[in-house]
Amino acid sequence: RGGTRRCLQSALASLQEAESFKEQGNAYYAKKDYNEAYNYYTKAIDTCPNNASYYGNRAATLMMLGRFREALGDAQQSVRLDDSFVRGHLREGKCHLSLGNAMAASRCFQRVLELDHKNTQAQQELKNASTVLEYEKIAEVDFEKRDFRKVVFCMDRALEFAPACHRFKILKAECLALLGRYPEAQSVASDILRMDSTNADALYVRGLCLYYEDCIEKAVQFFVQALRMAPDHEKACLACRNAKALKAKKEDGNKAFKEGNYKLAYELYTEALGIDPNNIKTNAKLYCNRGTVNSKLRKLEEAIDDCTNAVKLDDTYIKAYLRRAQCYMDTEQYEDAVRDYEKVYQTEKTKEHKQLLKNAQVELKKSKRKDYYKILGVDKNASEDEIKKAYRKRALMHHPDRHSGASAEVQKEEEKKFKEVGEAFTILSDPKKKARYDSGQDLEEDGLNMGDFDANNIFKAFFGGPGGFSFEGRWKCSPAGFGNVSTQIAWEAGGVCQGMCWWRRVLGFAT
């Protein structure tokens, strides 16, 4: 009997001590000093381990500290000790919901309503759990549709009710990575890894960000680490395989290019582009590399297409703009070249880029004038002798007297061409005028009015001719033709028979 009394006295003392610890914990909780509150609730539990309310209070404190997984254990213990403990069920449900387990949370809130059907908190939390479940379903469907923006939206909404759910955070981070928002994705994954360094999903997302930023070697390290933590991680396994294949193909393509084997390089870059369409930055580089190969093969339009695909994937990719601009220059698409060089110079204001833009602008200005080289049919690097020979050929070809028997329309066109040939020769045969023309200067601004010269005089000066002959005259032929000695020549103004015969020989007619 004495022993029983002593046991009762000891139990009472322990209960009083535990209650004292609980009251002190309550005081610290009220002051929002949750760490001290946690310590005193722990002392109360150690003193009296079978009291449901102590576990319930410590669960509440852990929830305020954001330690929901530990809080869940305490809340579950509290309802194991007392299944009618409403606050215990509420806290268990809140922990489940915060950790993203909306189904388990719903069961807890339903249990509260069984115990107290008027409990407004349980009613509201049950609605919140249903909302989270709905966002989960929508996100699952949208992920399959690759509508990653909507998945991010759904996860943000779900995380308002489930702030400690790693699963929602990982899904959000993965979608951010797939959207190219790598810093945000990295931040979310890093936060999880600080709390759980072995989280395979977070390691996978870190690797995915590096992979999509074209840091393939580092990405592989994270994928391998994720697979150590979870050997059956399908996404990490696929990403690791793709990363290794992409790295190998790209390096092989680069090697073939350096060796001058452009055909093989083209094939390897093309194969690399088929490995993973989601890897935007790497694929942009591959398109640009293939564009460079096509430019080496003089397939300039294909090169332009490749560079266009590169900038579609990455509109900040300066190298692709530069490569495309050069191809535009080579194909005389100067307006497009100026546009690309302007984009480059706005991004990187270097002397080199400024000069490239200036050169393109000069070529654009020149392209809008008459192309005297094209009119004479010579290259821009043609010698003085080549220019003279070209003029001789074109002037004789388009001389109006060669086409006197043609229709009025043809005569008018040939006269126009004859004048342009003379105009071209006037400029290109004069070193100073040619230099101004080549530099893109406006010749009329320099005082040269191209409407003031006479193509006939240039022709006569170039070919010479009998003294006293005036080429201003025109002759007409009878239907008998030039080959007949009885041809009747009718001069409209000036000229002598001797001169006429001389010009007929120059123009290639019979005398």
XYZ file of all heavy atoms in Angstrom, residues 173-174 176-178 180-189 202-216 218-219 222-223 279 281:
287
model
N 10.006 23.294 -60.992
C 11.392 23.534 -61.416
C 11.681 22.871 -62.756
O 12.340 23.457 -63.630
C 12.357 23.020 -60.354
N 11.183 21.657 -62.944
C 11.399 20.954 -64.211
C 10.756 21.719 -65.369
O 11.356 21.873 -66.441
C 10.826 19.539 -64.137
C 11.075 18.717 -65.389
C 10.544 17.297 -65.291
O 9.953 16.946 -64.244
O 10.706 16.540 -66.271
N 10.058 24.940 -65.409
C 10.818 26.176 -65.602
C 12.051 25.915 -66.471
O 12.396 26.720 -67.341
C 11.238 26.761 -64.251
C 10.132 27.414 -63.416
C 10.645 27.726 -62.014
C 9.616 28.687 -64.088
N 12.696 24.785 -66.229
C 13.867 24.413 -67.039
C 13.462 24.177 -68.486
O 14.135 24.620 -69.416
C 14.525 23.168 -66.462
N 12.328 23.500 -68.682
C 11.852 23.224 -70.044
C 11.401 24.499 -70.751
O 11.372 24.554 -71.981
C 10.706 22.214 -69.997
C 11.101 20.795 -69.565
C 9.878 19.953 -69.255
C 11.957 20.123 -70.636
N 13.098 27.239 -70.356
C 14.311 28.027 -70.515
C 14.548 29.024 -69.397
O 15.435 29.873 -69.499
N 13.786 28.916 -68.320
C 13.955 29.837 -67.185
C 14.884 29.167 -66.159
O 14.491 28.796 -65.062
C 12.587 30.179 -66.589
C 11.720 30.971 -67.549
C 10.240 30.915 -67.245
N 9.895 31.496 -65.961
C 8.648 31.583 -65.503
N 7.639 31.126 -66.247
N 8.403 32.115 -64.326
N 16.135 29.027 -66.579
C 17.091 28.217 -65.833
C 17.441 28.765 -64.444
O 17.506 27.983 -63.489
C 18.365 28.019 -66.666
C 18.074 27.476 -68.041
C 18.436 28.189 -69.179
C 17.405 26.264 -68.221
C 18.151 27.717 -70.452
C 17.115 25.783 -69.478
C 17.486 26.509 -70.598
O 17.189 26.032 -71.849
N 17.674 30.061 -64.274
C 18.002 30.548 -62.919
C 16.896 30.258 -61.901
O 17.185 29.875 -60.761
C 18.181 32.058 -63.128
C 18.566 32.199 -64.563
C 17.792 31.134 -65.277
N 15.635 30.413 -62.319
C 14.520 30.122 -61.415
C 14.476 28.635 -61.074
O 14.273 28.256 -59.914
C 13.202 30.547 -62.058
C 13.058 32.032 -62.290
C 11.815 32.363 -63.103
O 10.715 32.299 -62.541
O 11.963 32.677 -64.303
N 14.657 27.814 -62.083
C 14.640 26.367 -61.866
C 15.784 25.947 -60.943
O 15.591 25.140 -60.015
C 14.739 25.637 -63.201
N 16.962 26.501 -61.184
C 18.125 26.188 -60.349
C 17.870 26.583 -58.896
O 18.236 25.864 -57.967
C 19.357 26.948 -60.865
C 19.916 26.421 -62.175
C 20.940 25.320 -61.955
O 20.878 24.578 -60.987
N 21.884 25.213 -62.866
N 17.255 27.741 -58.697
C 16.989 28.237 -57.344
C 16.071 27.294 -56.583
O 16.327 26.966 -55.414
C 16.362 29.631 -57.436
O 16.044 30.111 -56.145
N 15.015 26.839 -57.238
C 14.062 25.925 -56.580
C 14.756 24.607 -56.226
O 14.618 24.100 -55.105
C 12.846 25.660 -57.500
C 11.935 24.599 -56.872
C 12.068 26.952 -57.739
N 15.495 24.055 -57.182
C 16.179 22.781 -56.941
C 17.222 22.917 -55.834
O 17.366 22.024 -54.981
C 16.831 22.292 -58.227
N 15.671 16.571 -57.329
C 16.332 17.882 -57.341
C 17.676 17.810 -58.066
O 18.042 18.729 -58.809
C 16.517 18.394 -55.916
N 18.405 16.723 -57.866
C 19.671 16.532 -58.576
C 19.437 16.450 -60.080
O 20.202 17.006 -60.880
C 20.365 15.255 -58.081
C 20.922 15.307 -56.654
C 21.285 13.900 -56.179
C 22.148 16.217 -56.591
N 18.365 15.773 -60.456
C 18.013 15.663 -61.875
C 17.719 17.037 -62.475
O 18.195 17.363 -63.570
C 16.797 14.741 -62.026
C 16.044 14.925 -63.318
C 16.588 14.514 -64.534
C 14.776 15.531 -63.324
C 15.896 14.699 -65.728
C 14.078 15.716 -64.506
C 14.646 15.304 -65.706
O 13.965 15.500 -66.873
N 16.947 17.858 -61.753
C 16.603 19.190 -62.262
C 17.848 20.063 -62.383
O 18.009 20.808 -63.358
C 15.535 19.866 -61.382
C 15.359 21.329 -61.766
C 14.205 19.131 -61.508
N 18.743 19.985 -61.397
C 20.000 20.739 -61.490
C 20.771 20.338 -62.749
O 21.280 21.181 -63.487
C 20.876 20.482 -60.253
C 20.470 21.234 -59.001
C 20.701 22.720 -59.107
N 22.057 23.068 -59.458
C 23.079 23.178 -58.607
N 22.877 22.953 -57.310
N 24.274 23.519 -59.014
N 20.834 19.036 -62.983
C 21.505 18.539 -64.181
C 20.803 18.980 -65.450
O 21.447 19.351 -66.439
N 19.469 18.987 -65.422
C 18.686 19.375 -66.587
C 18.958 20.830 -66.970
O 19.104 21.163 -68.158
C 17.192 19.181 -66.296
C 16.244 19.201 -67.496
C 16.516 18.017 -68.412
C 14.793 19.187 -67.019
N 19.050 21.702 -65.972
C 19.343 23.121 -66.232
C 20.716 23.271 -66.889
O 20.871 24.007 -67.874
C 19.296 23.919 -64.936
S 17.636 24.092 -64.250
N 21.692 22.582 -66.354
C 23.045 22.644 -66.921
C 23.062 22.073 -68.337
O 23.724 22.606 -69.240
C 24.022 21.883 -66.029
C 24.313 22.534 -64.675
C 24.998 21.538 -63.740
C 25.182 23.780 -64.852
N 22.333 21.008 -68.534
C 22.243 20.355 -69.850
C 21.655 21.307 -70.883
O 22.170 21.451 -71.989
C 21.378 19.107 -69.694
C 21.005 18.394 -70.967
C 21.967 17.918 -71.849
C 19.660 18.169 -71.274
C 21.608 17.238 -73.001
C 19.293 17.493 -72.418
C 20.264 17.039 -73.288
O 19.909 16.367 -74.435
N 20.580 21.990 -70.501
C 19.930 22.923 -71.419
C 20.714 24.222 -71.595
O 20.460 24.975 -72.534
C 18.509 23.232 -70.953
C 17.536 22.104 -71.184
C 16.414 21.948 -70.385
C 17.741 21.179 -72.211
C 15.507 20.913 -70.600
C 16.855 20.144 -72.428
C 15.740 20.014 -71.621
O 14.860 18.991 -71.840
N 21.646 24.489 -70.701
C 22.517 25.663 -70.849
C 23.818 25.300 -71.570
O 24.761 26.085 -71.587
C 22.816 26.272 -69.482
C 21.621 26.980 -68.862
C 21.947 27.631 -67.534
O 22.254 26.893 -66.573
O 21.911 28.857 -67.450
N 23.844 24.099 -72.145
C 24.982 23.607 -72.925
C 26.226 23.355 -72.066
O 27.340 23.376 -72.564
C 25.321 24.567 -74.072
C 26.152 23.891 -75.161
O 25.895 22.706 -75.451
O 27.074 24.529 -75.692
N 26.018 23.129 -70.755
C 27.120 22.706 -69.876
C 26.976 21.195 -69.689
O 26.634 20.702 -68.603
C 27.052 23.439 -68.537
S 27.171 25.228 -68.673
N 27.189 20.482 -70.783
C 26.807 19.067 -70.829
C 27.646 18.211 -69.888
O 27.130 17.298 -69.227
C 26.874 18.548 -72.276
C 25.833 19.300 -73.116
C 26.629 17.053 -72.339
C 25.794 18.906 -74.578
N 29.090 18.960 -67.005
C 28.638 19.115 -65.616
C 27.268 18.489 -65.416
O 26.983 17.910 -64.369
C 28.581 20.599 -65.246
C 29.938 21.250 -65.078
C 29.778 22.687 -64.619
C 31.145 23.356 -64.430
N 31.003 24.774 -64.009
N 26.426 18.605 -66.436
C 25.080 18.026 -66.348
C 25.148 16.523 -66.137
O 24.417 15.969 -65.307
C 24.299 18.345 -67.623
N 25.626 15.488 -62.533
C 24.415 15.530 -61.708
C 23.480 14.376 -62.031
O 22.859 13.791 -61.122
C 23.687 16.866 -61.894
C 24.217 17.962 -61.017
C 25.144 18.862 -61.497
C 23.811 18.082 -59.696
C 25.643 19.881 -60.687
C 24.301 19.082 -58.872
C 25.222 19.992 -59.377
N 23.365 14.016 -63.310
C 22.509 12.888 -63.678
C 23.036 11.591 -63.055
O 22.263 10.773 -62.549
C 22.438 12.750 -65.201
C 21.746 13.890 -65.888
C 22.186 14.333 -67.131
C 20.669 14.529 -65.304
C 21.552 15.387 -67.780
C 20.027 15.590 -65.934
C 20.473 16.012 -67.178
N 16.588 20.530 -76.225
C 17.821 21.217 -75.809
C 18.060 22.415 -76.728
O 18.793 22.350 -77.722
C 19.021 20.261 -75.855
C 20.211 20.821 -75.100
O 20.465 22.019 -75.127
N 20.925 19.962 -74.418
N 19.536 25.544 -76.436
C 20.818 26.235 -76.608
C 21.823 25.397 -77.393
O 22.519 25.913 -78.274
C 21.403 26.616 -75.246
C 20.741 27.832 -74.625
C 21.700 28.566 -73.731
C 21.115 29.910 -73.324
N 22.049 30.716 -72.519
